[in-house]
């Protein structure tokens, strides 16, 4: 039994795996990490491995107190991944993007793959059918766009994705007839058009590839995108588990 820990920019996500099956998931703020891990490891006493991926500001020392319960593994850029990294600055490539690329290769072999992670940032990562990681793009996520409009203007309100979800809005009007609608139109329609625009650009070079959409906003966006995609909000946690299993088999 394995516990996968994804330390993100905003939240910490944890999944308990039995093989490739997720038994239970947890999602919490970083200040709750120690208490939550105590709870999880006490609940799943058969867990023997703790695999951690982090892009957040969490010290590794926090995990030390759990060494008497589980073997702890930190996934870093030095890890042996199942792809060739052709990024011009490989040492600057985020570990989250590397794990997503790894999961795409392991779960969708012999295909061109585009992984879109819609979280704090929206990242695009392309891995070709020969398992070469080519690179991608990074842009602000939905929450960052809402916050920047509020923080860098004098009068625009702070809106959020939650307000849209509460109103069950399937589509945001292109022409907003209020400040609320105008901000929502700019942010949500802007993100949708951005994603579909990137996909169109990739299609001009690679006529056939699989699109994997993940991250906290994946479910919301999947319903609004025209392109056929594989949407899985747990793809990073599953990729973390798959990457560790790959390491075991290839050591």
């Amino acid at each position: 039994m394995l516990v996968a820990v994804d330390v993100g920019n905003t939240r910490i996500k944890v999944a308990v795996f039995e093989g490739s099956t997720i038994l239970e998931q947890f999602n919490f703020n970083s200040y709750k990490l120690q208490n939550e891990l105590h709870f999880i490891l006490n609940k799943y006493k058969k867990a023997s491995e703790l695999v951690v991926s982090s892009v957040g500001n969490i010290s590794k020392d926090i995990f030390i107190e759990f060494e008497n319960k589980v073997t702890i593994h930190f996934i870093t850029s030095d890890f042996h991944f199942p792809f060739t990294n052709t990024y011009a600055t490989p040492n600057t490539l985020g570990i989250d993007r590397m794990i997503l690329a790894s999961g795409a290769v392991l779960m969708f072999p012999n295909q061109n793959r585009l992984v879109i992670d819609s979280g704090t940032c929206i990242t695009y990562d392309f891995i070709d059918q020969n398992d070469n990681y080519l690179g991608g793009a990074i842009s602000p996520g939905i929450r960052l766009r809402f916050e920047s409009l509020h923080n860098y203007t004098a009068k625009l309100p702070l809106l959020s994705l939650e307000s849209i979800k509460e109103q069950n809005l399937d589509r945001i009007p292109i022409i907003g007839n209020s400040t609320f609608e105008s901000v929502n139109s700019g942010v949500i329609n802007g993100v949708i058009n951005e994603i579909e625009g990137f996909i169109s650009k990739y299609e001009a070079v690679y006529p056939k590839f699989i699109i994997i959409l993940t991250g906290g906003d994946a479910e919301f966006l999947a319903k609004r995108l025209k392109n056929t995609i594989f949407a899985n909000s747990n793809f990073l946690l599953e990729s973390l588990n798959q990457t560790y299993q790959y390491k075991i088999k290839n050591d």
Side-chain angles (χ1 to χ4, degrees), residues 184-211:
N184 281 329
S185 178
V187 171
I188 303 303
N189 290 320
V191 166
I192 291 169
N193 287 327
E194 174 193 302
I195 292 174
E196 291 181 339
F198 268 112
I199 291 171
S200 295
K201 294 292 186 182
Y202 281 112
E203 286 175 337
V205 182
Y206 297 91
K208 187 176 181 181
F209 56 89
I210 186 170
I211 304 167

Side-chain angles (χ1 to χ4, degrees), residues 141-153 157-159 187:
I142 291 176
R143 182 178 62 83
L144 281 182
R145 297 182 195 216
F146 279 130
E147 290 181 351
S148 65
L149 286 174
H150 174 69
N151 292 335
Y152 293 97
T153 63
L158 176 59
L159 304 184
V187 171

Side-chain angles (χ1 to χ4, degrees), residues 56-95:
N57 294 319
I58 295 291
S59 171
K60 290 183 178 181
D61 294 340
I62 290 179
F63 296 93
I64 299 302
E65 67 176 280
F66 301 102
E67 283 185 325
N68 62 330
K69 294 184 177 181
V70 289
T71 303
I72 302 171
H73 309 271
F74 295 98
I75 308 296
T76 68
S77 58
D78 296 328
F79 218 70
H80 178 56
F81 291 95
F83 59 83
T84 301
N85 190 349
T86 69
Y87 211 48
T89 56
N91 293 332
T92 69
L93 183 60
I95 191 62

Side-chain angles (χ1 to χ4, degrees), residues 13-33:
K13 297 178 182 178
V14 178
V16 180
F17 285 90
E18 185 72 71
S20 59
T21 302
I22 295 179
L23 302 180
E24 191 172 1
Q25 294 175 255
F26 306 85
N27 190 330
F28 47 85
N29 290 323
S30 58
Y31 68 88
K32 294 182 178 180
L33 176 58

Side-chain angles (χ1 to χ4, degrees), residues 4 22 51 57 74 94 100 105 122 166 172 208 211 221 238 241:
I22 295 179
V51 181
N57 294 319
F74 295 98
L100 289 171
V105 169
I122 301 174
E166 288 171 2
I172 306 298
K208 187 176 181 181
I211 304 167
L221 291 171
E238 293 177 5
N241 179 48

